[in-house]
């Protein structure tokens, strides 16, 4: 979970955390001096899907809506998606239910145990095959967003400029590889094994998710974080008091821009 990953970061068991910005803000509220330096995710490649009897957003009123947990990445992306669609969970009287991992959530939708959810394209494909309706494609909405983010403790050895630079270079190389057509077969196979997809088309859909969300525009975006801050503050009001300028550190990415490393990486995407 997000709180557990932040706890391991705080205790020094790990040097870096690659997780939800909402968890980073909650950690900052708790007094953790954290620095977040890069996010290669600027889209939410998910769809709002519902049982076949539910055909419009208005039909969601009073229905059961499932999330994976409260505060984690699944919850945050779901709440941001609903916010951008103009769906207020309270006004729509959505009955929020917490289930297990994404596969379990998808299965619950197919069995009729829940009415709607926001899930990645790779899982929504399976839901659609089972008869579910897609009410909205969140990946096509235009709003400032940054997802999983690299963070570390401000005064730890992990904050070494050289070490952070090498880590970000590796992340940039990974994004370039994701967009390299010659690497597609290997990446799809890695995804199939990692997520145990039962059908090849599900692994293909997961690869599509990666290519949509992976970007070299990784510098922390205050506007995107303000949206995360607004949503997370609904369950932890103190998050609204976090000074984003003390959490976001654009300097490591700016250094890679000035050195020309990022420009060379962009050339490989063409």
């Amino acid at each position: 979970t997000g709180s557990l990953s932040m706890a391991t970061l705080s205790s020094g068991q790990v040097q870096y955390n690659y997780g939800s910005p909402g968890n980073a803000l909650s950690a900052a509220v708790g007094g953790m001096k954290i620095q977040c330096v890069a996010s290669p995710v600027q889209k939410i490649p998910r769809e709002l899907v519902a049982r076949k009897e539910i055909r419009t957003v208005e039909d969601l009123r009073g229905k059961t809506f499932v999330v994976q947990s409260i505060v984690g990445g699944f919850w945050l992306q779901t709440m941001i998606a609903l916010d951008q669609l103009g769906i207020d969970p309270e006004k729509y009287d959505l009955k929020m239910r917490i289930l297990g991992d994404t596969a379990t959530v998808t299965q619950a939708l197919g069995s009729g145990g829940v009415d709607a959810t926001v899930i990645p394209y790779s899982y929504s494909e399976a839901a659609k095959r089972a008869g579910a309706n897609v009410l909205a494609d969140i990946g096509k909405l235009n709003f400032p967003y940054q997802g999983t983010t690299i963070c570390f403790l401000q005064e730890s050895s992990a904050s070494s400029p050289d070490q952070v630079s090498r880590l970000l270079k590796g992340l940039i190389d990974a994004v370039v590889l994701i967009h390299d057509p010659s690497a597609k077969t290997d990446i799809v196979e890695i995804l199939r094994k990692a997520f145990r997809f039962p059908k090849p088309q599900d692994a293909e859909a997961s690869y599509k998710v990666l290519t949509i969300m992976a970007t070299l525009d990784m510098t922390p975006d205050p506007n995107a974080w303000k949206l995360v801050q607004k949503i997370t503050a609904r369950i932890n009001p103190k998050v609204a008091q976090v000074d984003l300028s003390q959490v976001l550190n654009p300097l490591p990415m700016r250094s890679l821009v000035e050195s020309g490393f990022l420009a060379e990486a962009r050339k490989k995407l063409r």
Side-chain angles (χ1 to χ4, degrees):
T1 65
S3 57
L4 179 60
S5 67
M6 282 298 167
T8 59
L9 179 66
S10 177
S11 66
Q13 295 179 57
V14 298
Q15 286 67 55
Y16 298 96
N17 177 267
Y18 184 58
S20 166
N23 291 328
L25 292 177
S26 295
V29 166
M32 189 181 298
K33 294 186 181 300
I34 194 170
Q35 294 276 280
C36 298
V37 295
S39 172
V41 179
Q42 291 192 0
K43 288 287 184 182
I44 298 181
R46 295 175 176 246
E47 291 179 311
L48 169 55
V49 295
R51 290 190 297 107
K52 59 183 178 181
E53 295 85 359
I54 300 172
R55 300 187 177 279
T56 69
V57 168
E58 287 302 307
D59 293 338
L60 290 174
R61 293 183 183 275
K63 297 297 191 294
T64 301
F65 206 97
V66 65
V67 293
Q68 195 175 54
S69 63
I70 298 298
V71 180
F74 191 119
W75 175 86
L76 179 62
Q77 292 190 2
T78 296
M79 293 299 107
I80 289 177
L82 295 179
D83 179 77
Q84 294 302 305
L85 291 170
I87 300 174
D88 184 321
E90 291 188 5
K91 292 181 179 179
Y92 273 68
D93 189 29
L94 296 181
K95 300 172 178 62
M96 308 303 287
R97 180 180 173 189
I98 300 174
L99 286 180
D101 58 19
T102 307
T104 303
V105 169
T106 307
Q107 290 169 5
L109 182 67
S111 66
V114 297
D115 297 312
T117 188
V118 175
I119 50 178
Y121 294 146
S122 48
Y123 287 90
S124 64
E125 289 297 317
K128 285 183 279 188
R129 288 197 299 270
N133 288 321
V134 175
L135 303 185
D137 186 338
I138 312 306
K140 292 183 178 178
L141 300 181
N142 187 23
F143 58 92
Y145 174 77
Q146 285 190 318
T148 41
T149 302
I150 290 182
C151 302
F152 52 84
L153 294 180
Q154 184 174 342
E155 298 177 356
S156 69
S157 60
S159 64
S160 159
D162 178 65
Q163 191 164 319
V164 172
S165 178
R166 286 187 283 117
L167 177 63
L168 295 185
K169 285 180 179 179
L171 185 60
I172 289 170
D173 287 342
V175 171
V176 170
L177 184 66
I178 288 169
H179 290 281
D180 182 354
S182 67
K184 177 181 177 179
T185 300
D186 290 337
I187 294 174
V188 169
E189 179 60 15
I190 290 171
L191 293 171
R192 186 191 66 77
K193 290 181 178 179
F195 293 100
R196 300 177 183 175
F197 289 121
K199 296 182 180 296
Q201 56 262 46
D202 293 334
E204 287 278 349
S206 185
Y207 175 74
K208 175 186 175 184
V209 169
L210 270 181
T211 58
I212 290 173
M213 72 180 189
T215 177
L216 292 178
D217 298 320
M218 302 181 189
T219 304
D221 179 0
N223 289 327
W225 279 72
K226 286 177 183 177
L227 177 57
V228 172
Q229 189 174 34
K230 181 184 81 169
I231 299 297
T232 308
R234 293 178 182 175
I235 56 171
N236 186 353
K238 291 183 178 180
V239 166
Q241 303 170 15
V242 174
D243 182 354
L244 294 180
S245 68
Q246 298 300 307
V247 175
L248 307 183
N249 182 358
L251 295 181
M253 283 302 300
R254 190 175 300 165
S255 176
L256 294 180
V257 170
E258 294 172 352
S259 70
F261 185 87
L262 195 60
E264 287 301 314
R266 290 187 190 283
K267 291 178 183 179
K268 296 175 184 178
L269 296 182
R270 296 172 185 172

